[in-house]
Amino acid sequence: MSVDVLSRLQDLTGDPYSYARAWKGRTGGKVMGFYCHYAPEEIIHAAGALPVRITGENRVISDSGAHLQSYCCSLARTGLDMALGGDLDVLDGTVFVHTCDTMQRLSDIWRLDAGFDAHFDVVLPGRMEGDSSREYLYQELGSFRDRTGEYLGPVDDEALKRSIGIHNRNRVLLEEMYRLRRQDPGVLPSDEVLMVVAASAIMDKEEHNALLEELLGTLETRLSGGGPPPQSSLCKGEEKEEKIRLFGIGSVMDQWEFLRMVEDAGGTIVDDDFCTGHRCAGAVAPEGPDPIESITARIWDGALCPCKHAMSRDRAGYLLERITGSGAKGVLFFQFKFCEPHAFDYPHVKKALDEHGIPSLHLEIEQGSVSIPRLRTRVEALLETMRGA
Amino acid sequence: MVAEEGRKLYLKIDATDRMKQLMTEYYIDAKGAEGTDRPICWITSGGPVEFLIAMDVIPIYPENHGAMCGASKMGVQLAEVAEGLGFSGDLCSYARLDIGSAITHGGPIGGLPRPDFLLCCNNICGTVQKWYEELARYFEVPMFLMDTPFIHKTTYEHATEYVRKQCLELVAFLEEQTGREFSLERFAEVAMLSVEGIELWKEVLKTAEHRPSPLTCFDAFIHMALIVTLRGTPEVVEYYRLLKGEMEKRIENGISAVPEEKHRLIWDNIPIWFEMRNLGQLFARNNTCLVADTYTTAWAIDIKIDDPLTSMADAYTGIYLNISIDLMFEKLLALIERFSADGVVMHSNRSCKPYSLGQYDLARMVTERTGKPVLMIEADMTDSRAYSEAQVRDRVEAFIESFP
Ligand code: SF4
Ligand code: SF4
């Protein structure tokens, strides 16, 4: 049963925008792209549109080279290339959220050159502590609701509360998947875990919730010893050798082949802080009378991106806690070249890991030029030292 | 085409000595304050320094220091220290060399005095936010982040209100850090001096509207140091009055910065500090004056005396690097018109994403709207490792040659 779910999700992530096209054909609704997991999807959803995440892809740049210098991260470069090349034609508009300098400028370029109908910016605060920042966040979300309303149609409180419920459910289910994996990583390989999360960002959430429920049921049966061992096409081998548990740190993780290679080499990313991974799970919007307040609370209290500032929430301390809690014995930094927010944090986090005797490997990649054999050598070396220890 | 060496290519500005003296005094004084009860605060170049001056806090600008290290060609060696610690070589080179200098006390003045606290304003970039977080960890000192929401199309009331509130929070932060009381009168006084300094700075830059121009942007890059670091003090006002007088005298006497000014260009982005002298001479030799730039004008902000807090919130939010490409274009266009420029030179600066990403679009917009050409130079403001002097020279000469 779950085999169907997984192959379904695999097809989806292999051709992410075909779903949106079909959805649009079926419902006649609008499709809104967004890059960052901070985007208030609930508001877009409540307006009857389908929010669809853009995460770039492995491709050779052609058109975007005339707009973005080579010292810009591949997430921005390949994403813009897709937009200019017509691959994102299904979108009616895009929502940009303020995160880093690159996204800030990409938003301008996108608005000026990509030619979509609508364009919105949600200028989130850079500081995520202090009352005035929280108040500003609340105001900005409210302003976004009004501004999108003019294009997508007004969003009333009841619709928004309903959307919040659906999105909360999704986060709870994803969290549950992560929990089961921590219990036994063998229950689902990491590439499939991340595909499940990726799918949630490109398909209708209610439909995704249904798939997740089905998947979780199967995983639970497996865990309790019943049912057949995992049999998806990707999860080959029934070898019972315990995989080495790793924790992944980075922004977007969409390199399925890389994840399969890690599994194949005897490791598994049992938990992560990817913004296309565990950061999409967990923190729910507390349901209350004011839905904008609910979303504010979710963003405010949720996992913190390195793009955001809060001195009271030390990133190294936070990650250490997460790593220990996950049972991971080592860390994979998987980061985009030219990504400043992550690169700035790396020495600090690395130092904390060293102090705690947690081995780690720092990989810097660009979408479109990921060399699996080269990365494999390095991953194997890390796993080798860990086995020796 | 190339000017004969009849007159020196570079004409020294007499006021420079006074500026050097003021900057030396400033750094000596600041370094002397280290370890005393006079508080020192490191601040970003776009930060609201008026609050510090009004509280008698010594402001220190790592970016100004970064420029100094770059100009003395010490940027690379300091950056390499940070790279050795795991900081990526792709990060802003100001940040890298500053971290390197903090650790080794390296650089032309033996490093900067230790901060007691930090004031970071993200109106120039998100980079400073991360860089100052690192400084806060390294020095174990508190940091205040002034968060200025980016302007894509318009400013929203709630954004202005947010920044205004933060001005009050900053006051509270400074009171706590210094144990002193904030005085609104003193602040208004400082704001007034700041406005006066800024107005004079604008007038200095304006003298370059004259054809031929009495100064080039390479001069402006040097003489901006005071408006960045010490605005709000009487010395700055006095200094720019002096400089302005000298420029006006040049105009009266028919003296131009470039011996034979034939072409006039605008510079975009931060200077290539380690190459300033060469570039200045290269353009001068080719009878070209860079009459204005988008960088030094960034400090020409508007503060209104009657409501300094609100106008400061607006002014600091609206600076050049905190607005969208289309809004930047309007400003660039105004510069081209005002200074009767024949084209634009853009420094595509791999250190600075908010300044550089979008330049390709800006360049197209300029040419489409004005028909004027744009030259793109790939470089870095202080990291000379990827710079090719020969290539830049050829491109600059070919570009100038294309003018009628
Ligand atoms: S956070 Fe990093 S990876 Fe993400 S858009 Fe910004 S620079 Fe690129
Ligand atoms: S050079 Fe650019 S990225 Fe670096 S501190 Fe200045 S504005 Fe920020």
Side-chain angles (χ1 to χ4, degrees):
Chain A
M1 196 167 50
S2 86
V3 179
D4 293 345
V5 175
L6 287 170
S7 60
R8 173 93 206 279
L9 294 175
Q10 217 189 320
D11 291 347
L12 263 174
T13 42
D15 181 11
Y17 305 103
S18 64
Y19 177 92
R21 265 178 232 117
W23 180 90
K24 198 172 186 166
R26 195 168 68 235
T27 65
K30 290 206 158 71
V31 178
M32 300 296 286
F34 69 99
Y35 256 102
C36 173
H37 86 289
Y38 274 126
E41 283 181 75
E42 296 97 328
I43 297 176
I44 303 169
H45 178 267
L50 178 71
V52 171
R53 191 157 179 187
I54 307 160
T55 52
E57 67 178 15
N58 290 328
R59 80 193 259 136
V60 178
I61 301 293
S62 58
D63 300 339
S64 73
H67 301 271
L68 287 169
Q69 285 93 328
S70 57
Y71 49 82
C72 166
C73 76
S74 60
L75 186 60
R77 280 163 61 83
T78 63
L80 181 64
D81 208 59
M82 291 161 75
L84 297 174
D87 296 23
L88 300 179
D89 276 356
V90 67
L91 302 185
D92 294 284
T94 325
V95 177
F96 276 84
V97 167
H98 186 85
T99 52
C100 66
D101 296 334
T102 300
M103 274 298 140
Q104 171 182 297
R105 285 292 172 224
L106 178 65
S107 169
D108 294 343
I109 295 171
W110 196 282
R111 171 165 53 81
L112 295 169
D113 301 311
F116 296 111
D117 244 17
H119 189 97
F120 298 98
D121 288 289
V122 186
V123 186
L124 292 184
R127 190 180 79 177
M128 294 291 257
E129 57 188 356
D131 294 345
S132 60
S133 297
R134 196 184 190 284
E135 172 63 22
Y136 168 73
L137 169 60
Y138 174 83
Q139 301 281 354
E140 181 63 11
L141 290 172
S143 150
F144 173 64
R145 168 193 181 157
D146 297 343
R147 284 178 285 135
T148 38
E150 285 168 24
Y151 177 68
L152 295 173
V155 176
D156 68 47
D157 274 6
E158 286 324 301
L160 193 47
K161 284 181 192 166
R162 202 182 144 260
S163 290
I164 288 173
I166 293 166
H167 285 75
N168 278 351
R169 177 88 189 128
N170 195 250
R171 292 195 177 88
V172 167
L173 293 171
L174 288 175
E175 187 63 38
E176 180 60 10
M177 173 178 70
Y178 270 95
R179 195 188 64 78
L180 294 177
R181 272 214 86 223
R182 281 198 299 277
Q183 220 171 305
D184 179 3
V187 81
L188 198 66
S190 41
D191 56 323
E192 295 186 4
V193 171
L194 281 143
M195 272 184 188
V196 171
V197 184
S200 98
I202 53 177
M203 66 190 291
D204 176 71
K205 282 284 186 302
E206 277 177 290
E207 209 179 309
H208 192 260
N209 284 347
L211 289 176
L212 262 175
E213 270 161 22
E214 197 182 328
L215 176 68
L216 289 176
T218 319
L219 296 186
E220 257 157 44
T221 332
R222 271 183 206 166
L223 262 175
S224 57
Q231 288 221 333
S232 98
S233 53
L234 307 171
C235 187
K236 46 179 155 353
E238 279 152 54
E239 79 276 16
K240 253 319 189 191
E241 204 207 315
E242 269 282 308
K243 293 202 163 146
I244 294 182
R245 294 179 176 218
L246 300 168
F247 189 94
I249 298 177
S251 56
V252 166
M253 166 49 92
D254 63 344
Q255 302 297 323
W256 319 121
E257 222 188 304
F258 169 81
L259 292 167
R260 266 168 235 148
M261 175 273 281
V262 174
E263 293 276 336
D264 204 45
T268 189
I269 296 182
V270 69
D271 200 354
D272 65 76
D273 188 53
F274 297 129
C275 68
T276 53
H278 203 154
R279 260 196 252 160
C280 301
V284 297
E287 289 169 42
D290 177 356
I292 293 295
E293 168 53 32
S294 303
I295 302 171
T296 305
R298 170 178 73 72
I299 293 178
W300 191 254
D301 297 324
L304 204 66
C305 171
C307 295
K308 299 294 166 204
H309 172 79
M311 275 325 240
S312 54
R313 294 167 72 178
D314 177 55
R315 184 157 167 79
Y318 166 76
L319 288 171
L320 272 175
E321 220 170 90
R322 292 273 318 278
I323 293 162
T324 325
S326 72
K329 298 286 177 258
V331 168
L332 273 184
F333 290 91
F334 193 85
Q335 311 195 323
F336 285 118
K337 189 163 168 60
F338 306 114
C339 169
E340 288 218 334
H342 280 274
F344 263 112
D345 278 354
Y346 168 67
H348 172 57
V349 177
K350 166 86 165 92
K351 191 160 156 259
L353 295 180
D354 288 350
E355 280 164 9
H356 286 77
I358 301 172
S360 63
L361 175 64
H362 185 250
L363 302 172
E364 217 180 36
I365 66 122
E366 287 192 277
Q367 286 161 316
S369 56
V370 180
S371 157
I372 300 294
R374 261 226 300 278
L375 296 177
R376 184 176 186 119
T377 317
R378 302 187 57 197
V379 169
E380 278 173 350
L382 171 75
L383 295 174
E384 214 38 62
T385 43
M386 289 178 69
R387 282 195 194 97
Chain B
M1 170 122 211
V2 170
E4 296 306 317
E5 306 276 328
R7 197 199 91 187
K8 274 208 304 204
L9 281 178
Y10 177 67
L11 199 58
K12 185 170 178 266
I13 293 177
D14 293 333
T16 312
D17 293 337
R18 176 71 184 135
M19 188 201 60
K20 283 196 177 143
Q21 186 194 356
L22 284 170
M23 286 304 284
T24 310
E25 279 168 12
Y26 156 65
Y27 274 117
I28 289 176
D29 179 60
K31 289 191 72 139
E34 194 172 354
T36 71
D37 58 0
R38 294 171 61 209
I40 296 173
C41 174
W42 287 18
I43 176 173
T44 52
S45 65
V49 69
E50 289 80 4
F51 290 93
L52 300 184
I53 305 276
M55 298 282 281
D56 284 321
V57 172
I58 300 175
I60 289 287
Y61 288 83
E63 289 155 78
N64 172 260
H65 179 243
M68 275 164 57
C69 294
S72 2
K73 304 195 197 300
M74 296 172 96
V76 173
Q77 99 202 33
L78 293 172
E80 280 170 349
V81 174
E83 287 160 25
L85 292 173
F87 290 97
S88 160
D90 297 321
L91 291 172
C92 164
S93 59
Y94 277 169
R96 271 182 285 141
L97 74 81
D98 179 51
I99 292 168
S101 160
I103 293 166
T104 59
H105 300 285
I109 58 164
L112 293 171
R114 190 181 200 286
D116 296 298
F117 45 90
L118 306 165
L119 172 52
C120 172
C121 184
N122 61 11
N123 59 355
I124 49 171
C125 60
T127 295
V128 286
Q129 201 172 302
K130 302 304 294 179
W131 167 10
Y132 275 56
E133 283 173 7
E134 180 58 28
L135 291 176
R137 287 191 290 257
Y138 179 75
F139 289 113
E140 297 182 331
V141 293
M143 156 178 176
F144 185 92
L145 175 69
M146 173 80 87
D147 185 16
T148 47
F150 189 82
I151 303 172
H152 284 283
K153 282 186 200 146
T154 41
T155 347
Y156 292 96
E157 182 48 45
H158 61 278
T160 304
E161 184 52 26
Y162 175 36
V163 181
R164 219 184 63 84
K165 273 191 201 152
Q166 290 179 81
C167 288
L168 299 175
E169 290 168 15
L170 174 59
V171 167
F173 173 82
L174 292 174
E175 286 186 330
E176 195 193 315
Q177 295 303 319
T178 60
R180 296 173 190 157
E181 218 173 291
F182 179 79
S183 145
L184 203 58
E185 275 128 78
R186 174 87 179 99
F187 180 73
E189 225 174 271
V190 171
M192 199 123 75
L193 282 169
S194 182
V195 170
E196 215 182 326
I198 289 168
E199 285 309 316
L200 280 163
W201 174 237
K202 282 187 201 168
E203 285 168 33
V204 168
L205 295 176
K206 194 174 154 53
T207 60
E209 285 176 17
H210 188 268
R211 187 187 282 266
S213 167
L215 87 164
T216 75
C217 77
F218 299 105
D219 298 315
F221 292 151
I222 294 170
H223 291 267
M224 71 187 284
L226 288 170
I227 199 68
V228 178
T229 52
L230 290 171
R231 65 178 177 276
T233 64
E235 290 83 358
V236 165
V237 173
E238 170 241 358
Y239 176 73
Y240 286 113
R241 205 166 273 141
L242 181 77
L243 181 60
K244 185 186 157 213
E246 190 176 341
M247 292 302 110
E248 282 166 350
K249 185 118 316 117
R250 276 190 178 185
I251 293 179
E252 260 169 51
N253 299 334
I255 296 172
S256 59
V258 166
E260 269 176 73
E261 180 193 297
K262 288 217 182 83
H263 315 292
R264 296 163 67 86
L265 301 175
I266 307 280
W267 175 275
D268 179 55
N269 212 309
I270 300 173
I272 307 171
W273 293 111
F274 58 88
E275 249 321 79
M276 278 250 287
R277 184 188 294 261
N278 284 342
L279 276 176
Q281 296 197 345
L282 173 63
F283 282 104
R285 239 187 294 126
N286 288 280
N287 303 328
T288 301
C289 183
L290 284 139
V291 285
D293 66 274
T294 54
Y295 186 54
T296 54
T297 46
W299 277 268
I301 52 170
D302 268 316
I303 301 173
K304 288 178 194 65
I305 297 301
D306 38 329
D307 186 0
L309 276 193
T310 308
S311 74
M312 222 172 250
D314 283 338
Y316 279 103
T317 307
I319 72 157
Y320 192 66
L321 284 185
N322 207 42
I323 57 175
S324 64
I325 295 170
D326 20 350
L327 295 174
M328 286 170 121
F329 175 64
E330 282 169 26
K331 299 211 175 197
L332 181 55
L333 201 60
L335 281 185
I336 294 173
E337 278 164 12
R338 200 151 71 76
F339 288 88
S340 339
D342 307 308
V344 180
V345 179
M346 288 187 170
H347 166 205
S348 163
N349 177 0
R350 61 182 289 124
S351 259
C352 187
K353 296 192 173 70
Y355 220 146
S356 307
L357 302 185
Q359 273 176 324
Y360 291 178
D361 277 77
L362 267 178
R364 257 189 307 276
M365 289 156 94
V366 166
T367 306
E368 267 168 34
R369 181 75 81 84
T370 66
K372 293 182 175 159
V374 178
L375 172 69
M376 199 68 67
I377 299 178
E378 301 285 338
D380 183 286
M381 60 205 174
T382 65
D383 192 336
S384 54
R385 284 173 295 188
Y387 186 73
S388 160
E389 193 195 330
Q391 200 183 51
V392 170
R393 194 194 325 116
D394 290 349
R395 301 202 56 213
V396 166
E397 286 182 340
F399 182 69
I400 295 174
E401 212 131 328
S402 73
F403 288 112

